[in-house]
Amino acid sequence: MLETESLTIRFGGHVAVNDVSCRYAPGTLTAIVGPNGAGKTTYFNLISGQLRASAGSVRLNGRDLTPLSAPARMHAGLGRAFQLTQLFPRLSARRDHAAADLPHGDQRKLEIAMLIALEPQVFMFDEPTAGMSVDDVPVVLELIREIKNDPSKTILLVEHKMDVVRELADRIVVLHNGQLMADGDPATVIASPIVQQAYLGMSPTEPKA
Ligand SMILES: Nc1ncnc2c1ncn2[C@@H]1O[C@H](COP(=O)(O)OP(=O)(O)OP(=O)(O)O)[C@@H](O)[C@H]1O
Ligand SMILES: [Mg+2]
């Protein structure tokens, strides 16, 4: 079980993640959605240790990871892929190609392969299909589905594409202005007026597109 409790970070006067308490159970895939700047990547950074929390804690299987560095959290079981791909650009990926020379879609797939090779308990994906060709998207979704088939793995997925969210998510958490705004099963969360208004940009009374 991964838990964040009252997780908070302030940048000067701006509270980018504000008092977010949530639990993520093994065998579940939770989509984390919200508008640009809502705090999704920052929330991931706080969980994986790229950023230090101003307040609150991160626990995995009851163990407090909050004081640990990012590499130590990775060794504890938290695996994380990045919104902007982070590779070892000069190492070979295919025998005769440096990672930096691969097409964008292959770079993203390589990052996911690196993550899978670490065998983490928790997989965190930050917009894994962003900027990918239509041919590459199903490959990545299939990889995520395979991970999901393992009941010991916990998956957190930041994703803007609602069709992907609908297909993969067991649960949706909505962040808005750094705060947890909704949390529940996909159908209920997507239909909720607060999400229709704040995330999908509709007024609650407007008919759905
Ligand atoms: N290191 C930082 N210093 C100052 N402000 C930051 C920092 N990192 C993030 N922010 C701010 O925190 C807020 C949340 O940013 P974040 O990148 O987490 O949003 P996001 O939900 O991932 O958005 P997107 O969907 O565009 O990826 C934004 O207002 C951003 O400018
Ligand atoms: Mg982001």
Side-chain angles (χ1 to χ4, degrees), residues 42-91:
T42 306
Y43 183 54
F44 271 16
N45 285 337
L46 291 173
I47 295 173
S48 61
Q50 264 73 30
L51 285 173
R52 290 294 165 139
S54 309
S57 64
V58 178
R59 285 194 301 273
L60 184 63
N61 307 324
R63 178 182 175 199
D64 187 5
L65 303 186
T66 323
L68 302 185
S69 67
R73 292 186 204 197
M74 195 280 291
H75 283 288
L78 292 184
R80 197 261 163 102
F82 291 84
Q83 185 167 1
L84 299 174
T85 311
Q86 305 283 324
L87 301 170
F88 297 95
R90 281 188 292 276
L91 295 187

Side-chain angles (χ1 to χ4, degrees), residues 166-207:
R166 271 196 195 90
E167 192 188 318
L168 289 178
D170 304 304
R171 169 185 171 202
I172 300 180
V173 165
V174 182
L175 290 183
H176 189 62
N177 293 330
Q179 288 179 301
L180 195 154
M181 195 178 73
D183 178 0
D185 71 272
T188 308
V189 170
I190 290 169
S192 67
I194 196 164
V195 170
Q196 292 283 324
Q197 187 174 19
Y199 181 54
L200 301 172
M202 301 169 187
S203 81
T205 51
E206 250 179 294

Side-chain angles (χ1 to χ4, degrees), residues 9-150:
I9 190 166
R10 296 181 200 93
F11 297 117
H14 180 65
V15 191
V17 172
N18 194 350
D19 199 27
V20 176
S21 298
C22 237
R23 297 166 145 226
Y24 307 95
T28 64
L29 188 151
T30 305
I32 298 177
V33 306
N36 294 118
K40 305 178 298 293
T41 296
T42 306
Y43 183 54
F44 271 16
N45 285 337
L46 291 173
I47 295 173
S48 61
Q50 264 73 30
L51 285 173
R52 290 294 165 139
S54 309
S57 64
V58 178
R59 285 194 301 273
L60 184 63
N61 307 324
R63 178 182 175 199
D64 187 5
L65 303 186
T66 323
L68 302 185
S69 67
R73 292 186 204 197
M74 195 280 291
H75 283 288
L78 292 184
R80 197 261 163 102
F82 291 84
Q83 185 167 1
L84 299 174
T85 311
Q86 305 283 324
L87 301 170
F88 297 95
R90 281 188 292 276
L91 295 187
S92 61
R94 297 200 177 106
R95 190 177 300 171
D96 300 319
H97 298 275
D101 297 332
L102 293 173
H104 175 78
D106 285 356
Q107 291 195 10
R108 299 224 47 128
K109 285 189 279 184
L110 174 58
E111 190 180 43
I112 293 170
M114 287 162 60
L115 183 57
I116 291 170
L118 293 170
E119 299 186 356
Q121 181 191 329
V122 178
F123 287 79
M124 302 165 68
F125 295 104
D126 197 348
E127 301 188 37
T129 65
M132 273 194 173
S133 73
V134 285
D135 292 338
D136 283 330
V137 170
V139 177
V140 169
L141 297 186
E142 186 51 36
L143 284 172
I144 294 175
R145 238 180 255 115
E146 275 176 35
I147 298 165
K148 202 188 152 182
N149 283 339
D150 182 339

